[in-house]
Amino acid sequence: MKYADATVMRHPNIVALGCLQRISSDANPPSHLVIATDNGDILVLEPQSFGLIYQAKTCGNETVPSMIAVHGTYETDFRVVIATRYGGVYLLRKSAKEGQEIFKISHPFTGLMLLPIDQTITVCVMDCRLVCYSKKGKQLYVNKLPALPMCMIPITLPHLGLTLCCVALEGGLVQLYLQRYLVNEFHMVSTIGAMCFGRTGHEDYVLNMVSVEGEIFVKILKRT
């Protein structure tokens, strides 16, 4: 009888995380934390006290997100692209409290990107495809991948004004695409299961990779 009068509550689990810059005028602006939960909530927390400053739903139904991609700044405008476990992809704007479905795919996703320049959405799918859509849901192009995609990240090169799509494939092959064009590839000794690109130590452009066997690889892009 200890909990006879207690309120029945369900605490949602966090399923995806992202970062949202607060303002774009600073060289190194603080970032807000963007959280997606398994009951479909999209939450934005400020970085000091982790107070809730924005809340929205993925859609009208309780759809479970699997991946999110964030672009923009909190002070002006931002967009959150949400891929769900059931193949739907939703676009959530700052002015809205509910996302809008823009397209749907029948196969599970392994990667999701929102390109900052032209606002196109790129996904890699478990049927060995790399597909690009406009923000209105129109399919722009499809690339057939030579193996099953494991993960995908954006590689932003500000000094060149480019954002590349880096896809790790089963078997150790890593490919880099500029839009629909394959611009580089290299082979690793084992399959890569996770990647991260950015500043590491004194180097600005470092690709960190973790294999499915637990190995860590680091590749540094030449400054020239």
Side-chain angles (χ1 to χ4, degrees):
M1 300 298 293
K2 181 178 179 181
Y3 300 103
D5 298 325
T7 303
V8 178
M9 298 180 63
R10 175 181 179 270
H11 296 282
N13 297 311
I14 295 173
V15 293
L17 293 172
C19 287
L20 172 66
Q21 290 185 350
R22 184 176 64 85
I23 193 168
S24 59
S25 59
D26 298 339
N28 294 302
S31 295
H32 296 307
L33 185 63
V34 183
I35 296 174
T37 65
D38 63 358
N39 65 348
D41 284 332
I42 306 297
L43 313 173
V44 178
L45 308 181
E46 60 93 14
Q48 294 182 343
S49 65
F50 294 102
L52 180 64
I53 57 176
Y54 175 84
Q55 182 173 359
K57 297 290 289 187
T58 301
C59 64
N61 301 322
E62 190 168 312
T63 301
V64 182
S66 60
M67 299 177 183
I68 61 173
V70 186
H71 176 67
T73 60
Y74 183 78
E75 295 293 334
T76 55
D77 191 20
F78 64 85
R79 294 176 176 86
V80 182
V81 177
I82 309 146
T84 68
R85 294 181 183 177
Y86 305 105
V89 174
Y90 297 81
L91 178 62
L92 175 65
R93 304 175 188 271
K94 180 181 179 181
S95 58
K97 294 298 181 183
E98 186 177 301
Q100 177 185 5
E101 184 177 294
I102 48 179
F103 62 89
K104 196 167 187 176
I105 292 181
S106 57
H107 292 79
F109 300 98
T110 59
L112 171 71
M113 279 176 44
L114 174 61
L115 295 179
I117 297 176
D118 52 8
Q119 297 291 296
T120 55
I121 300 163
T122 304
V123 296
C124 56
V125 196
M126 289 191 71
D127 60 352
C128 299
R129 291 187 302 150
L130 183 70
V131 193
C132 181
Y133 292 86
S134 71
K135 60 184 177 182
K136 294 185 178 180
K138 180 182 178 181
Q139 183 176 297
L140 301 178
Y141 60 85
V142 180
N143 283 0
K144 184 66 177 178
L145 300 172
L148 178 70
M150 303 298 293
C151 60
M152 177 177 69
I153 61 167
I155 291 186
T156 303
L157 306 174
H159 62 295
L160 298 177
L162 301 175
T163 299
L164 303 178
C165 174
C166 182
V167 185
L169 305 174
E170 189 177 33
L173 180 63
V174 179
Q175 294 185 325
L176 288 91
Y177 288 88
L178 177 59
Q179 296 178 350
R180 69 175 66 194
Y181 304 105
L182 177 64
V183 295
N184 195 13
E185 65 180 18
F186 55 88
H187 289 268
M188 305 302 295
V189 295
S190 57
T191 300
I192 301 300
M195 299 184 292
C196 180
F197 180 79
R199 183 176 179 85
T200 302
H202 297 290
E203 297 293 336
D204 289 326
Y205 308 117
V206 181
L207 178 62
N208 299 279
M209 297 170 284
V210 180
S211 73
V212 294
E213 299 174 357
E215 303 163 301
I216 298 178
F217 303 95
V218 178
K219 280 188 173 291
I220 301 175
L221 184 68
K222 293 181 179 179
R223 295 181 179 180
T224 55

